[in-house]
Amino acid sequence: MIVRMIGYLLTVLFSMYLFFMYDGHIWTGLLILEILYPLCSCIFLWNMGRNINVRFGRFPAMAERAKRFSGSLILKNHSRIWSVKYCVRARVKNHFSKQSVFRSSRRAPAFQRGLSLKYAPAELGPLREQKLEIELDSQYAGTLEYRLESLILYDMLGIFCRTISLHQQKNIGIMPPFELMPLEITRRTREFLADADEYSTEKKGDDPSEIYQVREYRPPDSIHSIHWKLSAKEDNLMVKEHGFPMGCVVLLWIRLPLADTDSAAFNRLLERAASLSVTLLEEKCIHMAAWFEEKSGQVIKWRIHTAESVYEWIWRLLSTEPFQNEEQEKTCYEDAFRGENFSSIVILNADGTLKVNGEEQELLQL
């Protein structure tokens, strides 16, 4: 814009030189038009600013790390007369980092200055609607913040422009990959009876307080499992099978202290937590994920027993902010799990370390 304004001023000065050096109405009219142009430009830009609006079109709420995804912006010109050249400026950043980790769209060419994306100028005709396609990707899991900062409108000759603040934002959750990891489930965890309010409807267990099903007696069933009242009623030996408690055997405690958390650390934590959770689920081990949320002052608990619940708790973790008060975290943890027992407690730290029952392990044994 500065180059165009310098060119405009030089043109005006040259026209003034011609006006004083030569007689003729043409030089007078040309100079008057050049002097009045900024006023005309101001009126044009003010009018177009009232007639142009920008909104988000289709934009994903979730995407995968290191995979390209697309969205769209929709611009509409409500003016019946004028077309206008415009440019959109956006800012993209990771939730835990001030460094840009995204690439701009191929369909909407852009250049990047730090966190800013400025899309190439385009023209929008009268009563026209235009869709601007955007493609991004992220090398880190977490939350992508895509913020529309401003719309830049140019006058008829592209000399002057007007910047309109937008302040619209979309958050996209970037999910980590889910991979099975080396893990040994010990007999202690397999046979651990956790307190539960729910019982499995698919397999039997050893909890005498809940009956899974009643069936006919088959050797070598124990006589202690015989349902005597029902056997007398049916005139046949019937056996009780006990229920399998759906209690959480393993606790995954996620720690996000502010001092240790950045986009790279959060990415490692998410990938390791997701992989561990899906591996435990593959091993038929019901577990709980929990973390401290300083904003609400409470511990968030998530019981994982299905594949859907793995995605749900990772998705919920994406919006969590790091905490500063470690003493409050410790107090809330003790209050949240007072009286609860787990076979193993796995602590996942933001710096990438993982401890099982207070000890680091090369090969995880739970």
Side-chain angles (χ1 to χ4, degrees):
M1 178 180 175
I2 295 177
V3 175
R4 293 191 297 270
M5 290 186 66
I6 292 175
Y8 166 76
L9 291 174
L10 291 175
T11 303
V12 172
L13 291 175
F14 182 70
S15 297
M16 291 179 66
Y17 169 78
L18 295 176
F19 172 76
F20 287 110
M21 291 296 296
Y22 303 98
D23 293 330
H25 296 294
I26 186 172
W27 307 119
T28 303
L30 182 61
L31 182 60
I32 292 174
L33 287 176
E34 291 175 355
I35 293 174
L36 290 178
Y37 180 79
L39 178 61
C40 297
S41 175
C42 181
I43 295 173
F44 172 81
L45 291 174
W46 174 79
N47 178 65
M48 295 310 298
R50 298 176 58 193
N51 286 284
I52 300 290
N53 68 340
V54 185
R55 71 179 190 274
F56 281 105
R58 174 186 52 82
F59 234 88
M62 180 189 299
E64 295 183 47
R65 184 183 68 82
K67 289 189 177 181
R68 189 174 291 271
F69 61 94
S70 61
S72 63
L73 302 175
I74 298 175
L75 299 94
K76 186 170 184 179
N77 182 2
H78 296 275
S79 172
R80 296 179 178 272
I81 303 174
W82 304 103
S83 63
V84 64
K85 182 176 286 188
Y86 70 88
C87 185
V88 177
R89 190 186 298 274
R91 183 172 292 267
V92 185
K93 70 174 184 177
N94 186 276
H95 187 58
F96 287 109
S97 175
K98 295 183 178 179
Q99 297 179 352
S100 179
V101 292
F102 308 100
R103 294 192 294 272
S104 58
S105 168
R106 292 179 180 176
R107 295 186 184 177
F111 61 86
Q112 186 171 337
R113 295 178 179 174
L115 298 177
S116 296
L117 298 178
K118 186 177 178 182
Y119 296 98
E123 190 166 343
L124 185 57
L127 295 178
R128 295 293 298 274
E129 186 174 270
Q130 196 170 88
K131 182 183 291 186
L132 179 64
E133 295 289 343
I134 299 166
E135 290 189 1
L136 299 168
D137 60 16
S138 172
Q139 67 184 31
Y140 294 133
T143 301
L144 179 157
E145 297 177 2
Y146 186 91
R147 179 187 294 273
L148 288 177
E149 290 201 327
S150 59
L151 173 67
I152 305 171
L153 302 178
Y154 297 92
D155 61 15
M156 294 80 74
L157 300 180
I159 298 175
F160 300 101
C161 66
R162 177 188 178 187
T163 301
I164 301 173
S165 298
L166 297 176
H167 303 301
Q168 300 180 41
Q169 179 174 318
K170 282 284 186 179
N171 292 333
I172 302 100
I174 307 298
M175 297 292 286
F178 290 72
E179 299 177 348
L180 296 179
M181 59 189 301
L183 174 66
E184 180 184 351
I185 304 295
T186 63
R187 185 175 178 180
R188 179 193 66 204
T189 299
R190 295 286 186 194
E191 299 178 355
F192 187 85
L193 288 179
D195 296 332
D197 297 326
E198 298 181 29
Y199 291 82
S200 175
T201 58
E202 299 178 357
K203 64 177 181 178
K204 62 180 180 178
D206 300 315
D207 192 338
S209 63
E210 184 76 12
I211 296 178
Y212 171 64
Q213 67 177 0
V214 179
R215 58 170 176 80
E216 293 185 357
Y217 176 86
R218 294 193 300 264
D221 290 337
S222 173
I223 62 172
H224 299 290
S225 300
I226 295 176
H227 195 305
W228 295 107
K229 290 184 178 180
L230 191 58
S231 297
K233 182 178 179 181
E234 297 290 335
D235 197 22
N236 193 13
L237 287 177
M238 306 297 291
V239 175
K240 296 179 291 184
E241 288 187 341
H242 299 303
F244 180 81
M246 299 280 283
C248 296
V249 177
V250 175
L251 171 65
L252 305 183
W253 178 246
I254 315 297
R255 298 194 71 250
L256 286 170
L258 183 61
D260 299 330
T261 304
D262 57 21
S263 55
F266 189 59
N267 178 75
R268 291 194 301 269
L269 176 64
L270 282 175
E271 291 193 6
R272 203 160 192 186
S275 298
L276 179 55
S277 185
V278 77
T279 303
L280 287 171
L281 191 65
E282 186 73 15
E283 294 289 338
K284 311 297 183 184
C285 181
I286 300 172
H287 54 287
M288 176 183 290
W291 59 92
F292 171 62
E293 193 174 68
E294 190 171 37
K295 186 176 181 179
S296 61
Q298 62 182 3
V299 171
I300 307 299
K301 298 180 179 180
W302 215 280
R303 183 169 169 270
I304 299 109
H305 62 286
T306 62
E308 290 78 9
S309 57
V310 176
Y311 283 92
E312 287 172 357
W313 85 265
I314 293 294
W315 175 256
R316 176 64 176 81
L317 184 62
L318 293 181
S319 61
T320 299
E321 298 181 357
F323 62 84
Q324 300 184 39
N325 193 334
E326 298 197 21
E327 288 296 326
Q328 186 182 8
E329 181 222 16
K330 183 179 179 181
T331 302
C332 289
Y333 172 84
E334 293 173 351
D335 292 341
F337 297 106
R338 184 175 289 114
E340 293 191 40
N341 297 314
F342 299 94
S343 168
S344 298
I345 298 177
V346 182
I347 300 177
L348 295 99
N349 295 301
D351 60 3
T353 59
L354 185 151
K355 294 184 178 180
V356 179
N357 299 326
E359 299 180 354
E360 293 188 17
Q361 298 181 356
E362 293 184 6
L363 176 62
L364 289 181
Q365 293 182 328
L366 303 180

Short mmCIF file of all heavy atoms in Angstrom, two decimals, residues 124-155:
data_model
loop_
_atom_site.label_atom_id
_atom_site.label_comp_id
_atom_site.label_asym_id
_atom_site.label_seq_id
_atom_site.Cartn_x
_atom_site.Cartn_y
_atom_site.Cartn_z
N LEU A 124 -14.73 -9.64 -5.69
CA LEU A 124 -16.09 -10.10 -5.41
C LEU A 124 -17.06 -9.15 -6.09
O LEU A 124 -17.10 -7.95 -5.81
CB LEU A 124 -16.33 -10.12 -3.90
CG LEU A 124 -17.65 -10.69 -3.39
CD1 LEU A 124 -17.83 -12.12 -3.87
CD2 LEU A 124 -17.70 -10.63 -1.87
N GLY A 125 -17.85 -9.69 -7.03
CA GLY A 125 -18.77 -8.88 -7.81
C GLY A 125 -20.02 -8.50 -7.05
O GLY A 125 -20.28 -8.99 -5.94
N PRO A 126 -20.85 -7.62 -7.64
CA PRO A 126 -22.09 -7.19 -6.98
C PRO A 126 -23.07 -8.35 -6.81
O PRO A 126 -23.23 -9.18 -7.71
CB PRO A 126 -22.64 -6.12 -7.93
CG PRO A 126 -21.98 -6.40 -9.25
CD PRO A 126 -20.64 -6.97 -8.94
N LEU A 127 -23.67 -8.40 -5.62
CA LEU A 127 -24.64 -9.45 -5.28
C LEU A 127 -24.08 -10.85 -5.50
O LEU A 127 -24.81 -11.77 -5.88
CB LEU A 127 -25.94 -9.26 -6.09
CG LEU A 127 -26.75 -7.99 -5.78
CD1 LEU A 127 -27.96 -7.93 -6.68
CD2 LEU A 127 -27.15 -7.93 -4.32
N ARG A 128 -22.80 -11.02 -5.25
CA ARG A 128 -22.15 -12.31 -5.43
C ARG A 128 -21.72 -12.87 -4.08
O ARG A 128 -21.41 -12.13 -3.14
CB ARG A 128 -20.94 -12.18 -6.34
CG ARG A 128 -21.26 -11.80 -7.76
CD ARG A 128 -22.01 -12.89 -8.49
NE ARG A 128 -21.21 -14.10 -8.59
CZ ARG A 128 -20.33 -14.32 -9.55
NH1 ARG A 128 -20.14 -13.42 -10.51
NH2 ARG A 128 -19.65 -15.45 -9.59
N GLU A 129 -21.71 -14.20 -4.01
CA GLU A 129 -21.21 -14.90 -2.83
C GLU A 129 -20.03 -15.75 -3.27
O GLU A 129 -20.08 -16.42 -4.30
CB GLU A 129 -22.30 -15.76 -2.21
CG GLU A 129 -21.91 -16.41 -0.89
CD GLU A 129 -23.09 -17.12 -0.25
OE1 GLU A 129 -23.82 -16.48 0.54
OE2 GLU A 129 -23.28 -18.33 -0.54
N GLN A 130 -18.97 -15.73 -2.50
CA GLN A 130 -17.76 -16.44 -2.88
C GLN A 130 -17.28 -17.29 -1.72
O GLN A 130 -17.33 -16.88 -0.55
CB GLN A 130 -16.68 -15.43 -3.27
CG GLN A 130 -15.51 -16.02 -4.03
CD GLN A 130 -14.62 -14.91 -4.58
OE1 GLN A 130 -13.70 -14.47 -3.88
NE2 GLN A 130 -14.88 -14.45 -5.79
N LYS A 131 -16.81 -18.50 -2.06
CA LYS A 131 -16.30 -19.42 -1.05
C LYS A 131 -14.78 -19.48 -1.14
O LYS A 131 -14.23 -19.70 -2.22
CB LYS A 131 -16.89 -20.82 -1.23
CG LYS A 131 -16.43 -21.82 -0.19
CD LYS A 131 -16.98 -23.21 -0.47
CE LYS A 131 -18.48 -23.26 -0.24
NZ LYS A 131 -18.98 -24.66 -0.39
N LEU A 132 -14.13 -19.26 -0.03
CA LEU A 132 -12.67 -19.33 0.03
C LEU A 132 -12.27 -20.64 0.70
O LEU A 132 -12.55 -20.86 1.87
CB LEU A 132 -12.11 -18.14 0.83
CG LEU A 132 -10.60 -18.07 1.02
CD1 LEU A 132 -9.90 -17.90 -0.32
CD2 LEU A 132 -10.22 -16.93 1.96
N GLU A 133 -11.69 -21.55 -0.06
CA GLU A 133 -11.28 -22.86 0.45
C GLU A 133 -9.96 -22.74 1.21
O GLU A 133 -9.03 -22.07 0.77
CB GLU A 133 -11.12 -23.86 -0.69
CG GLU A 133 -12.41 -24.19 -1.42
CD GLU A 133 -13.37 -25.02 -0.58
OE1 GLU A 133 -12.92 -25.61 0.42
OE2 GLU A 133 -14.56 -25.06 -0.92
N ILE A 134 -9.90 -23.41 2.37
CA ILE A 134 -8.72 -23.36 3.23
C ILE A 134 -8.29 -24.78 3.54
O ILE A 134 -9.12 -25.62 3.87
CB ILE A 134 -9.03 -22.62 4.54
CG1 ILE A 134 -9.44 -21.18 4.25
CG2 ILE A 134 -7.84 -22.66 5.49
CD1 ILE A 134 -10.07 -20.50 5.42
N GLU A 135 -7.01 -25.05 3.42
CA GLU A 135 -6.46 -26.35 3.78
C GLU A 135 -5.31 -26.14 4.76
O GLU A 135 -4.42 -25.33 4.51
CB GLU A 135 -5.98 -27.10 2.54
CG GLU A 135 -7.11 -27.57 1.65
CD GLU A 135 -6.64 -28.49 0.55
OE1 GLU A 135 -5.42 -28.77 0.50
OE2 GLU A 135 -7.49 -28.94 -0.25
N LEU A 136 -5.34 -26.89 5.86
CA LEU A 136 -4.33 -26.76 6.90
C LEU A 136 -3.93 -28.14 7.37
O LEU A 136 -4.61 -29.14 7.11
CB LEU A 136 -4.88 -25.96 8.10
CG LEU A 136 -5.32 -24.52 7.84
CD1 LEU A 136 -6.09 -24.01 9.04
CD2 LEU A 136 -4.14 -23.63 7.56
N ASP A 137 -2.83 -28.21 8.07
CA ASP A 137 -2.48 -29.42 8.81
C ASP A 137 -1.66 -29.00 10.02
O ASP A 137 -1.25 -27.86 10.15
CB ASP A 137 -1.73 -30.45 7.94
CG ASP A 137 -0.43 -29.90 7.40
OD1 ASP A 137 0.05 -28.88 7.89
OD2 ASP A 137 0.11 -30.53 6.47
N SER A 138 -1.47 -29.93 10.95
CA SER A 138 -0.75 -29.64 12.18
C SER A 138 0.19 -30.78 12.51
O SER A 138 -0.18 -31.95 12.41
CB SER A 138 -1.73 -29.44 13.34
OG SER A 138 -1.03 -29.35 14.57
N GLN A 139 1.40 -30.44 12.88
CA GLN A 139 2.35 -31.47 13.27
C GLN A 139 2.21 -31.85 14.74
O GLN A 139 2.84 -32.77 15.20
CB GLN A 139 3.78 -31.01 13.00
CG GLN A 139 4.23 -29.85 13.87
CD GLN A 139 5.61 -29.36 13.50
OE1 GLN A 139 6.01 -29.44 12.36
NE2 GLN A 139 6.34 -28.87 14.48
N TYR A 140 1.38 -31.12 15.47
CA TYR A 140 1.14 -31.41 16.88
C TYR A 140 -0.33 -31.70 17.13
O TYR A 140 -1.21 -31.09 16.51
CB TYR A 140 1.55 -30.23 17.77
CG TYR A 140 3.03 -29.92 17.78
CD1 TYR A 140 3.49 -28.62 17.63
CD2 TYR A 140 3.95 -30.95 17.92
CE1 TYR A 140 4.85 -28.34 17.65
CE2 TYR A 140 5.30 -30.68 17.94
CZ TYR A 140 5.75 -29.38 17.79
OH TYR A 140 7.09 -29.12 17.80
N ALA A 141 -0.60 -32.62 18.03
CA ALA A 141 -1.96 -32.82 18.52
C ALA A 141 -2.29 -31.72 19.51
O ALA A 141 -1.41 -31.09 20.08
CB ALA A 141 -2.09 -34.20 19.18
N GLY A 142 -3.56 -31.50 19.72
CA GLY A 142 -3.99 -30.44 20.62
C GLY A 142 -5.16 -29.70 20.03
O GLY A 142 -5.99 -30.27 19.33
N THR A 143 -5.24 -28.41 20.32
CA THR A 143 -6.32 -27.59 19.80
C THR A 143 -5.76 -26.53 18.86
O THR A 143 -4.88 -25.77 19.21
CB THR A 143 -7.08 -26.89 20.95
OG1 THR A 143 -7.62 -27.88 21.83
CG2 THR A 143 -8.22 -26.05 20.41
N LEU A 144 -6.28 -26.52 17.65
CA LEU A 144 -5.90 -25.52 16.66
C LEU A 144 -6.88 -24.35 16.77
O LEU A 144 -8.09 -24.55 16.73
CB LEU A 144 -5.95 -26.13 15.26
CG LEU A 144 -5.62 -25.25 14.04
CD1 LEU A 144 -5.18 -26.14 12.90
CD2 LEU A 144 -6.79 -24.40 13.61
N GLU A 145 -6.34 -23.16 16.91
CA GLU A 145 -7.18 -21.96 16.96
C GLU A 145 -7.02 -21.21 15.65
O GLU A 145 -5.95 -20.68 15.34
CB GLU A 145 -6.76 -21.06 18.13
CG GLU A 145 -6.96 -21.72 19.49
CD GLU A 145 -6.48 -20.84 20.63
OE1 GLU A 145 -6.04 -19.70 20.34
OE2 GLU A 145 -6.54 -21.27 21.78
N TYR A 146 -8.10 -21.17 14.86
CA TYR A 146 -8.10 -20.44 13.59
C TYR A 146 -8.95 -19.19 13.79
O TYR A 146 -10.17 -19.27 13.94
CB TYR A 146 -8.65 -21.31 12.47
CG TYR A 146 -8.56 -20.67 11.11
CD1 TYR A 146 -7.45 -20.87 10.30
CD2 TYR A 146 -9.59 -19.85 10.64
CE1 TYR A 146 -7.36 -20.28 9.05
CE2 TYR A 146 -9.51 -19.26 9.39
CZ TYR A 146 -8.39 -19.48 8.60
OH TYR A 146 -8.30 -18.89 7.37
N ARG A 147 -8.30 -18.03 13.80
CA ARG A 147 -8.99 -16.78 14.08
C ARG A 147 -8.97 -15.86 12.85
O ARG A 147 -7.90 -15.58 12.30
CB ARG A 147 -8.33 -16.06 15.26
CG ARG A 147 -8.97 -14.72 15.61
CD ARG A 147 -8.16 -14.00 16.67
NE ARG A 147 -8.22 -14.72 17.93
CZ ARG A 147 -9.17 -14.55 18.84
NH1 ARG A 147 -10.12 -13.67 18.63
NH2 ARG A 147 -9.15 -15.25 19.96
N LEU A 148 -10.14 -15.43 12.44
CA LEU A 148 -10.23 -14.41 11.40
C LEU A 148 -9.99 -13.05 12.04
O LEU A 148 -10.75 -12.63 12.91
CB LEU A 148 -11.61 -14.44 10.75
CG LEU A 148 -11.92 -15.62 9.83
CD1 LEU A 148 -13.36 -15.52 9.33
CD2 LEU A 148 -10.96 -15.67 8.67
N GLU A 149 -8.92 -12.39 11.63
CA GLU A 149 -8.57 -11.12 12.25
C GLU A 149 -9.13 -9.92 11.52
O GLU A 149 -9.64 -9.00 12.15
CB GLU A 149 -7.04 -11.00 12.35
CG GLU A 149 -6.43 -11.94 13.36
CD GLU A 149 -5.08 -11.48 13.82
OE1 GLU A 149 -4.36 -10.87 13.01
OE2 GLU A 149 -4.75 -11.71 14.98
N SER A 150 -9.03 -9.90 10.19
CA SER A 150 -9.47 -8.70 9.48
C SER A 150 -9.78 -9.01 8.02
O SER A 150 -9.30 -9.98 7.43
CB SER A 150 -8.40 -7.61 9.57
OG SER A 150 -7.18 -8.06 9.00
N LEU A 151 -10.61 -8.15 7.47
CA LEU A 151 -10.93 -8.15 6.04
C LEU A 151 -10.42 -6.83 5.47
O LEU A 151 -10.78 -5.75 5.96
CB LEU A 151 -12.43 -8.28 5.84
CG LEU A 151 -12.95 -8.11 4.40
CD1 LEU A 151 -12.48 -9.27 3.54
CD2 LEU A 151 -14.48 -8.02 4.39
N ILE A 152 -9.57 -6.90 4.45
CA ILE A 152 -8.99 -5.71 3.84
C ILE A 152 -9.68 -5.46 2.50
O ILE A 152 -9.69 -6.33 1.62
CB ILE A 152 -7.47 -5.88 3.62
CG1 ILE A 152 -6.79 -6.24 4.95
CG2 ILE A 152 -6.85 -4.62 3.05
CD1 ILE A 152 -5.34 -6.63 4.81
N LEU A 153 -10.28 -4.28 2.35
CA LEU A 153 -10.97 -3.90 1.13
C LEU A 153 -10.14 -2.84 0.40
O LEU A 153 -9.62 -1.91 1.02
CB LEU A 153 -12.36 -3.34 1.43
CG LEU A 153 -13.32 -4.27 2.20
CD1 LEU A 153 -14.63 -3.55 2.48
CD2 LEU A 153 -13.55 -5.56 1.44
N TYR A 154 -10.04 -2.98 -0.93
CA TYR A 154 -9.27 -2.04 -1.74
C TYR A 154 -10.22 -1.21 -2.61
O TYR A 154 -11.29 -1.69 -3.00
CB TYR A 154 -8.29 -2.80 -2.64
CG TYR A 154 -7.25 -3.58 -1.87
CD1 TYR A 154 -7.47 -4.91 -1.52
CD2 TYR A 154 -6.06 -2.98 -1.46
CE1 TYR A 154 -6.53 -5.62 -0.81
CE2 TYR A 154 -5.10 -3.70 -0.75
CZ TYR A 154 -5.35 -5.01 -0.43
OH TYR A 154 -4.42 -5.71 0.28
N ASP A 155 -9.80 0.02 -2.91
CA ASP A 155 -10.63 0.88 -3.74
C ASP A 155 -10.53 0.47 -5.21
O ASP A 155 -9.90 -0.53 -5.56
CB ASP A 155 -10.25 2.35 -3.54
CG ASP A 155 -8.81 2.63 -3.92
OD1 ASP A 155 -8.20 1.79 -4.60
OD2 ASP A 155 -8.29 3.69 -3.54
#
